[in-house]
Each structure stands twice: as structure tokens, then as C-alpha cells.
Amino acid sequence: KAGVTQTPRYLIKTRGQQVTLSCSPISGHRSVSWYQQTPGQGLQFLFEYFSETQRNKGNFPGRFSGRQFSNSRSEMNVSTLELGDSALYLCASSSRASDYNEQFFGPGTRLTVL
Amino acid sequence: LAKTTQPISMDSYEGQEVNITCSHNNIATNDYITWYQQFPSQGPRFIIQGYKTKVTNEVASLFIPADRKSSTLSLPRVSLSDTAVYYCLVGDGGGSGGGADGLTFGKGTHLIIQP
């Protein structure tokens, strides 16, 4: 069974631009969660989608948004990029909604904002 | 989610058994204890999960005392490739719609294995 895939793996943007990251969960998994990881703040929860509905949301500004499609693939969008948005963005999938005890993570997208 | 405390870093040598202890004094009745492993520039990987006593899989063992206020991840005969950050998490996993914070990762324990 293929794992969680994320595209692109690396991305360089400039301040003020917007970016869209993509995540394909493990086949059969309907829950997709997004996390931001930085050296200073560690790994922080952004939001979770299940069956195309956002179920939970972390403490991030409205510039961070997401959506999920009927095939469970998910996208995350960050508008008006700031230097502090440089981070590793991780996507995780699970078979159950809000099943935070066992999530399968993708390799991440390394976003650099210049 | 219950707060967890674990050592910031640990060193060991190849072939040794490594035990990483995590404290979670405020663990709730419904909470499970889960450990993840993360290599640089990769996503965390689920290692093991338990509720009480002892759990063992092909990778590690998890020891949980009767009061469940702490847990110990045991890695047998470590190798250089076990160098990674290990996270201890405690929570009920939601399932019913709870866990609004998603997975709350602390700073983790940076395990360094030397030859």
C-alpha cells in the first residue's frame, strides 16, 4: 500500500506570494491533517479534514486554509506569505476522523520564503 | 491532551538497549500513550502505542506502570540508524470528534547513537 505523498517536496517563494501544497493520503484513509514544523515552535497542528469537511483547526491565522476533495486528496493554501511561514509542512492521514493516536505522515514540503 | 515531559537528549552506543522515559502525571482514564520517531526532514513515524502494562512489537517495547503516570520506550540493540527524535504523546485519540489540537508534539528526545 502506497504511503502518504506530498507535492512539491521543495518550494521557494517570496513574501506576499501565495502557495498551494498538495497531499494524497493512504488509499482508504479519509482523514487528512496538516502540520507546520519549525525549529523554534516544533510541530504544530494546522487543521484536519474528513470527508471534505474541516473538523478541527489549530491556532493559525486565516491566511492558512485548506480543502479536501471527494477522493480524500487535500490541498493547503497559504496566502500573503511571510518570512515566518518558512517551514516543513507535513500532511498526515488516518482512517478515522480525529484519530490522533495513529497517523501516517508524508515526507513533507519544505517551504522557503525569501 | 495531557502534558508530557521527556529528556531533551540522550546518547548511547550501537548494540546497547536504550530506554527513554516520559512523564505524564495528568494522564486521563481514556488516554493512550503513543510514541513517534522522526528523522531530519521527514515526517514522524508511528512506533508503538499502549494503554497499560507492556506492549511489544518488532521495533520497540513500551512499559507502562500501574499508575500510568509515566512510560518507558525501550529500543533493543540500537544502531546508528536509530539516531532520531522520539516523541511521547498522550491523548484519547479523539475518534468521536475530540482532540481539537490534533497531535500535540512536545520537543521530543533527540537520541544520538554513536559507533
Side-chain angles (χ1 to χ4, degrees), chain B residues 31-111:
Chain B
D31 286 345
Y32 283 76
I33 300 156
T34 310
W35 286 80
Y36 280 78
Q37 173 194 56
Q38 186 177 27
F39 298 111
S41 296
Q42 292 186 27
R45 181 176 73 105
F46 173 90
I47 300 177
I48 197 167
Q49 182 183 74
Y51 184 80
K52 61 180 179 180
T53 61
K54 177 184 175 182
V55 179
T56 298
N57 61 23
E58 64 278 6
V59 176
S61 294
L62 180 60
F63 298 92
I64 306 168
D67 66 6
R68 304 202 323 126
K69 293 183 182 301
S70 67
S71 59
T72 299
L73 174 72
S74 181
L75 305 173
R77 296 180 298 282
V78 294
S79 64
L80 296 176
S81 63
D82 291 315
T83 294
V85 179
Y86 292 82
Y87 296 95
C88 164
L89 295 92
V90 172
D92 65 5
S96 59
D101 292 334
L103 278 175
T104 300
F105 289 79
K107 297 295 185 183
T109 297
H110 190 189
L111 175 64

Side-chain angles (χ1 to χ4, degrees), chain B residues 21-38:
Chain B
T21 297
C22 178
S23 298
H24 28 79
N25 292 319
N26 296 323
I27 190 169
T29 304
N30 295 333
D31 286 345
Y32 283 76
I33 300 156
T34 310
W35 286 80
Y36 280 78
Q37 173 194 56
Q38 186 177 27

Side-chain angles (χ1 to χ4, degrees), chain A residues 9-10 33 35 37 39-45 48 55-58 88 90 92 96-108 110, chain B residues 30 32-34 36 38 40-46 49 87 89-107:
Chain A
R9 292 293 312 278
Y10 302 91
S33 296
Y35 295 82
Q37 187 170 35
Q41 297 297 320
L43 210 152
Q44 296 182 286
F45 172 73
E48 182 210 4
R55 289 181 58 85
N56 293 300
K57 190 177 189 303
L88 180 67
L90 292 159
R96 298 190 304 164
S98 306
D99 190 357
Y100 301 123
N101 279 327
E102 185 170 0
Q103 291 194 327
F104 297 86
F105 284 81
R110 173 74 62 186
Chain B
N30 295 333
Y32 283 76
I33 300 156
T34 310
Y36 280 78
Q38 186 177 27
S41 296
Q42 292 186 27
R45 181 176 73 105
F46 173 90
Q49 182 183 74
Y87 296 95
L89 295 92
V90 172
D92 65 5
S96 59
D101 292 334
L103 278 175
T104 300
F105 289 79
K107 297 295 185 183

